[in-house]
Amino acid sequence: MTTSTQIQLVSRPVGTPTPDDFATVEVELPDLGSGEVRVRNEFVSVDPYMRGRMSEAKSYIPPFGLGETMTGGAVGRVVESTSAALPVGSAVLHGDGWRDLAQGPARHFSPLPETDLPLSVFLGAAGMTGLTAYAGLKRVAGMEEGDVVFISGAAGAVGSIAGQVARKLGASRVIGSAGSAAKVALLKEKYGYDEAFNYRDAPVRKQLREITPDGIDVYFDNVGGDHLEAALDRLNRGGRAALCGAISQYNNTERTPGPDNMANLVKNSLKLEGFIVGQHQDLQAEFAAKMTGWLADGSVVFDETVVDGIGNAVRAFLDMMGGANTGKMLVRP
């Protein structure tokens, strides 16, 4: 028998999760059945949406079960196989993260192309993260050439790619917010943002007003709360907001007050639309062709914050929720 180290949810967090809400367990894997594969995960993704799955609240995706191994994006290579479609050595993308070894029917694992890019990019810039940025800007916000774009959480996994995609789509000016001076510098020096500010320095509303004298046309929201309120103040007539996440509120235990300037939606004919990347899978082929080219020629760059050891996956998740990552947060089992 082969043993897999896995992370399970053992209690539903109230407020900010703690390590006591999780358990690291050893699970014995059975022998492979016909048409099955065993995969050694090389990288496992931890993402903000997983916080919602730790709650029993109704959402667009079922909650994690208590006492069950959690799931999420992962990439790895096949180490054992009874499937002709996925021989040993095949690189695959799949949904059985939070463990070092994954096993199941070959149809549950998607083969990845062999490229010079590291496998990890298929969890980040060339994966769900990048597609989120692309779909949110192009389709949900309907970004047009010449638009002024503001992106919150701009140094995170989605934000760091979204700023560069906005530039590729013809934005005239790209503005971002981040949580430290070092991240603000990174936005301007590496990710091509024209302007950026540290949301901890002063009220977001004040800083965004000062940095956008002519307003903004598109807002890509990863944060919610005071960032959304500030954006509603600055969106020009006909402005559009793609609402991707609200990480500032995920651990709240009390109802969060709404923005005090919702009347601007009527006054300025604004459009706010929430979206889930899974609703836009039809853009995958178009996006993948463009993004792999941009990554290959170096015109889009990416960062990863990698934590080693599947036993440290919970710490990686908690650090990511606290903003400790630059770019995509990954666990290397």
Side-chain angles (χ1 to χ4, degrees):
M1 300 288 282
T2 299
T3 300
S4 170
T5 303
Q6 306 185 357
I7 310 300
Q8 298 184 346
L9 185 70
V10 295
S11 61
R12 302 217 177 269
V14 177
T16 303
T18 72
D20 291 339
D21 294 316
F22 308 87
T24 302
V25 299
E26 300 295 322
V27 176
E28 289 190 348
L29 302 178
D31 293 337
L32 292 183
S34 177
E36 292 190 334
V37 294
R38 180 174 295 157
V39 173
R40 183 170 300 281
N41 287 336
E42 295 191 9
F43 293 95
V44 168
S45 180
V46 292
D47 303 284
Y49 82 88
M50 294 174 176
R51 175 61 185 88
R53 297 194 68 192
M54 294 172 191
S55 166
E56 287 186 302
K58 185 177 180 180
S59 185
Y60 62 90
I61 189 169
F64 293 128
L66 291 181
E68 298 177 4
T69 300
M70 295 184 292
T71 55
V75 291
R77 289 191 181 273
V78 176
V79 292
E80 291 187 42
S81 176
T82 59
S83 167
L86 289 177
V88 170
S90 300
V92 295
L93 169 72
H94 61 95
D96 286 336
W98 292 92
R99 69 199 78 194
D100 57 353
L101 290 172
Q103 182 170 310
R107 65 180 181 274
H108 293 170
F109 299 80
S110 300
L112 292 171
E114 291 293 345
T115 74
D116 292 333
L117 298 169
L119 280 186
S120 56
V121 300
F122 295 103
L123 292 174
M128 181 182 71
T129 297
L131 180 59
T132 300
Y134 186 80
L137 288 167
K138 181 172 182 175
R139 176 175 286 170
V140 181
M143 206 201 107
E144 300 174 353
E145 192 168 346
D147 278 344
V148 176
V149 179
F150 170 48
I151 299 168
S152 60
V158 174
S160 60
I161 300 300
Q164 298 176 80
V165 170
R167 183 70 68 205
K168 288 287 188 181
L169 295 178
S172 63
R173 195 164 180 241
V174 183
I175 299 144
S177 69
S180 71
K183 288 184 177 181
V184 166
L186 192 66
L187 293 181
K188 294 192 286 186
E189 295 167 8
K190 185 172 184 178
Y191 299 141
Y193 279 77
D194 296 288
E195 296 289 346
F197 62 90
N198 181 351
Y199 63 79
R200 302 182 195 276
D201 285 348
V204 175
R205 221 167 184 169
K206 177 178 184 295
Q207 294 192 77
L208 187 61
R209 181 174 63 248
E210 292 172 350
I211 212 168
T212 59
D214 297 319
I216 61 175
D217 302 300
V218 168
Y219 174 46
F220 192 105
D221 189 16
N222 292 302
V223 176
D226 57 353
H227 281 73
L228 176 58
E229 196 168 54
L232 288 174
D233 272 355
R234 303 308 301 153
L235 279 164
N236 295 323
R237 177 166 294 278
R240 294 87 67 204
L243 309 182
C244 173
I247 196 169
S248 68
Q249 300 165 219
Y250 290 166
N251 292 325
N252 288 1
T253 56
E254 298 180 0
R255 186 177 295 275
T256 303
D260 64 12
N261 51 356
M262 294 293 284
N264 287 356
L265 272 72
V266 177
K267 182 174 71 174
N268 292 324
S269 301
L270 305 180
K271 174 187 174 184
L272 274 65
E273 183 176 344
F275 74 102
I276 306 300
V277 68
Q279 300 166 334
H280 303 282
Q281 289 298 317
D282 60 303
L283 289 175
Q284 174 62 38
E286 171 189 322
F287 158 74
K290 290 183 177 182
M291 181 56 75
T292 52
W294 294 336
L295 292 169
D297 67 20
S299 60
V300 169
V301 296
F302 64 94
D303 277 308
E304 297 171 338
T305 301
V306 179
V307 174
D308 284 313
I310 195 66
N312 293 319
V314 170
R315 177 170 65 82
F317 172 76
L318 296 177
D319 286 351
M320 178 272 304
M321 291 295 291
N325 58 301
T326 298
K328 180 68 176 174
M329 178 67 93
L330 296 165
V331 177
R332 182 163 43 204

